[in-house]
């Protein structure tokens, strides 16, 4: 393991201001060229552009136009790009390759719109994977990565930067590490902690049961619930069978009553460390380049079939060869922004202030305020520890 002090990585940034002579897409192309993407030899190389196609119903995913801009630059440099992602653990529009491609096309990621094909990296049922030894891995020795993603000669991450209900933030490493894992790889990353139900909060809406792909939710308990009318009703309440649960956490995300939470605090830290190690497996020993767009900065992942309003204003576009530095630059940029009114962030902040459980330092941490059970710094710290990259960066603005 390399413990030497790294020089700051270069992260290139441009805001979203445009004029009559240049669109945002032109600006994105100029940004990635200035950031040095042309230093990579793309000639006749297969280039995986790792992207999130967005769960049907979600509208905060990146527009396919951005993917087209990146694919155009890759082709201009002689490469053969394709858009890719791996199947999901949970019930939804991207659980198998057929539904996944349908979802991608519904959201506009057709070959006609993007100029390249869509390949689901872990195959029809999410079982087409390659085991990749993780350099300096502490939690994962062999990562299970989608086969097509590992077959590529070059990897480009094209990331929608946002909040995340388990990792704290969804950036480059989340896009690559969790997104690039096969279904078994996603299970391995999530398996550190399995959730349980606070039955006193459960209202028997059954949302958790509908989202569970593994039949792990049972409504085998009862409690009395006071209805808005004042009447008392006995309802069935949920519990989770940990023998069936894979720890994917989707039930946590869909519960509007905050009745479901991980069983122990270290789970989110271990998840973040595993995400970093999976990212290491994907980018080690081959060229990679990273692009993150901090726009429509929603509080939750694009895996949801809906999206809440952005928690801060749009910021801009980032590019770097370093996956850790680009995530840290995006984090710093978001934390420097004031919270937008009438958002999940401001509502959570008001709850914390009423409870008096927020110290001065945490009050300005938008990711912690929104999802206090998360531990986003652990991903950055572990990524540095295993030699994936550095959190020290030089921000170079491209005007």
């Amino acid at each position: 393991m390399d413990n030497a002090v790294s020089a700051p990585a270069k992260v290139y940034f441009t805001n979203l201001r445009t004029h009559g002579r240049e669109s945002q897409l032109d600006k994105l192309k100029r940004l990635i060229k200035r950031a040095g993407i042309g230093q990579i030899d793309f000639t006749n190389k297969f280039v995986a552009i790792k992207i999130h196609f967005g769960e049907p119903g979600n509208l905060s995913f990146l527009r396919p136009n951005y993917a087209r801009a990146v694919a155009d630059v890759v082709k201009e440099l002689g490469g053969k790009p394709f858009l890719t992602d791996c199947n999901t653990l949970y019930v939804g529009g991207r659980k198998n390759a057929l539904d996944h491609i349908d979802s991608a096309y519904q959201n506009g990621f057709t070959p006609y719109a993007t100029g390249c094909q869509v390949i689901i990296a872990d195959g029809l049922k999410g079982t087409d994977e390659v085991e990749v030894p993780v350099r300096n891995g502490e939690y994962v020795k062999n990562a299970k990565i989608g086969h097509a993603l590992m077959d590529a000669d070059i990897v480009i991450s094209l990331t929608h930067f946002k909040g995340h209900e388990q990792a704290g933030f969804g950036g480059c490493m989340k896009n690559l590490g969790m997104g690039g894992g096969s279904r078994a790889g996603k299970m391995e990353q999530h398996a550190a902690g399995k959730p349980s139900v606070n039955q006193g909060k459960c209202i028997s809406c059954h949302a958790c049961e509908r989202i569970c792909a593994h039949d792990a939710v049972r409504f085998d308990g009862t409690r009395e619930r006071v209805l808005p009318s004042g009447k008392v009703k006995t309802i069935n309440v949920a519990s989770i069978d940990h023998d069936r649960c894979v720890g994917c956490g989707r039930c946590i995300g869909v519960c509007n009553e905050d009745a479901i939470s991980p069983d122990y605090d270290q789970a989110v830290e271990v998840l973040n460390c595993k995400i970093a190690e999976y990212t290491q497996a994907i980018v080690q020993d081959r060229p990679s380049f990273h692009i993150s767009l901090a726009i429509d900065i929603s509080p939750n992942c694009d895996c949801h079939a809906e999206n809440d309003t952005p928690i801060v204003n749009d910021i801009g576009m980032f590019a770097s060869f370093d996956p850790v530095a680009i995530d840290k630059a995006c984090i710093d940029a978001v934390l420097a922004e004031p919270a937008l009114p009438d958002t999940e962030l401001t509502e959570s902040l008001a709850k914390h202030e009423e409870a008096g459980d927020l110290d001065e330092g945490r009050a300005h941490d938008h990711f912690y305020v929104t999802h206090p059970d998360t531990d986003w710094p652990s991903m950055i710290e572990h990524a540095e520890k295993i030699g994936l990259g550095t959190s020290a960066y030089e921000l170079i603005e491209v005007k």
Side-chain angles (χ1 to χ4, degrees), residues 345-366:
L345 173 58
T346 50
E347 288 176 359
S348 296
L349 187 58
K351 290 179 182 177
H352 284 298
E353 290 175 344
E354 183 178 353
D357 60 359
L358 203 60
D359 61 43
E360 181 63 22
R362 290 291 204 180
H364 301 287
D365 185 339
H366 299 332

Side-chain angles (χ1 to χ4, degrees), residues 266-284:
Q266 71 266 34
V268 290
E269 179 184 350
V270 172
L271 170 66
N272 281 348
C273 292
K274 288 182 176 180
I275 289 172
E277 293 188 4
Y278 261 70
T279 304
Q280 176 83 302
I282 290 169
V283 303
Q284 66 192 23

Side-chain angles (χ1 to χ4, degrees), residues 180-192:
S182 66
R183 294 194 75 226
K186 289 180 172 66
M187 288 187 199
E188 180 176 38
Q189 291 176 75
H190 280 299

Side-chain angles (χ1 to χ4, degrees), residues 5 70 92 182 187 197 250 264 292-293 321 334 339 399:
V5 177
V70 176
S182 66
M187 288 187 199
V197 181
R250 290 297 295 164
Y264 43 93
S292 291
L293 275 60
F321 284 99
V334 169
K399 297 184 178 179

